[in-house]
Amino acid sequence: NKAEKTPFCSSQVVFLLRVMSLQAQAEKLESNLEIKDRKYRLKSYKKCFIGSDAVKTIIQLKIALNEEAAIEFGNTLIHNNLIEHVIKEHLFKNKKLFYRFTKNYYDTKLKLNANDVDDESNEIQDSVDDQHKKKDVFQEYYDDQKDPFYD
């Protein structure tokens, strides 16, 4: 009897996939929110969005099905350091409170995009290498052929 092999699935891999999925959802949210500089009581807050607008957008994007789930998703973003209340006094709420995407969010986004560019560059280089190999094979074949007109 052979021991059954179980598929490899470490908790770190599961965690990484969950974080990557959360980052992707956060990027989807960011691209659909009105992020701009805002004022409240003569104080300016840079590059922020409104919690109640985010709740509507989260539901419209089908990231969550209802208000309660949208608020839970927003708080998940806060707990994973992807968004924050502008003065860090509130969890995520369906209110006219200001939130912003964090430095951690933008750093992760930059790293993932850099990896995508690296992947695309590698694919292009592989394609060029393949074309060179095909050319070399063709050249060898051509060189081996005797041209009856020039013999």
Side-chain angles (χ1 to χ4, degrees):
N1 289 332
K2 291 182 180 178
E4 285 187 42
K5 291 184 180 180
T6 56
F8 174 75
C9 185
S10 77
S11 59
Q12 289 177 327
V13 170
V14 171
F15 175 76
L16 181 61
L17 290 173
R18 197 176 83 226
V19 168
M20 287 173 59
S21 175
L22 192 59
Q23 178 75 24
Q25 290 173 322
E27 288 182 26
K28 188 175 177 182
L29 177 62
E30 180 207 13
S31 68
N32 285 276
L33 284 173
E34 184 179 5
I35 298 173
K36 64 180 187 178
D37 297 349
R38 300 172 191 274
K39 287 185 181 182
Y40 179 73
R41 294 189 179 170
L42 303 177
K43 180 140 172 72
S44 293
Y45 300 94
K46 296 196 172 286
K47 297 180 183 176
C48 57
F49 61 91
I50 297 171
S52 55
D53 292 344
V55 168
K56 290 177 201 161
T57 304
I58 291 165
I59 294 168
Q60 287 171 349
L61 294 172
K62 296 184 179 10
I63 294 172
L65 297 176
N66 56 41
E67 178 186 355
E68 183 181 340
I71 293 168
E72 186 176 325
F73 175 74
N75 280 310
T76 299
L77 294 178
I78 287 177
H79 292 304
N80 284 276
N81 194 25
L82 297 174
I83 67 169
E84 64 189 3
H85 179 255
V86 291
I87 55 173
K88 299 177 178 79
E89 286 187 355
H90 295 278
L91 288 175
F92 189 75
K93 298 177 182 172
N94 188 8
K95 296 191 173 187
K96 290 187 178 182
L97 297 171
F98 297 164
Y99 298 88
R100 68 170 56 104
F101 287 88
T102 63
K103 180 180 182 325
N104 175 62
Y105 164 80
Y106 288 109
D107 288 347
T108 303
K109 182 178 178 181
L110 190 63
K111 284 178 195 170
L112 291 175
N113 288 337
N115 287 340
D116 288 345
V117 169
D118 288 345
D119 290 345
E120 288 176 22
S121 296
N122 289 339
E123 287 174 22
I124 290 168
Q125 187 60 51
D126 290 346
S127 177
V128 168
D129 291 344
D130 287 345
Q131 292 301 317
H132 285 290
K133 286 176 190 172
K134 288 176 184 172
K135 180 181 175 193
D136 292 342
V137 167
F138 177 76
Q139 188 66 46
E140 286 174 22
Y141 172 79
Y142 182 76
D143 290 343
D144 288 345
Q145 300 302 309
K146 297 203 183 219
D147 190 341
F149 294 107
Y150 295 105
D151 282 345

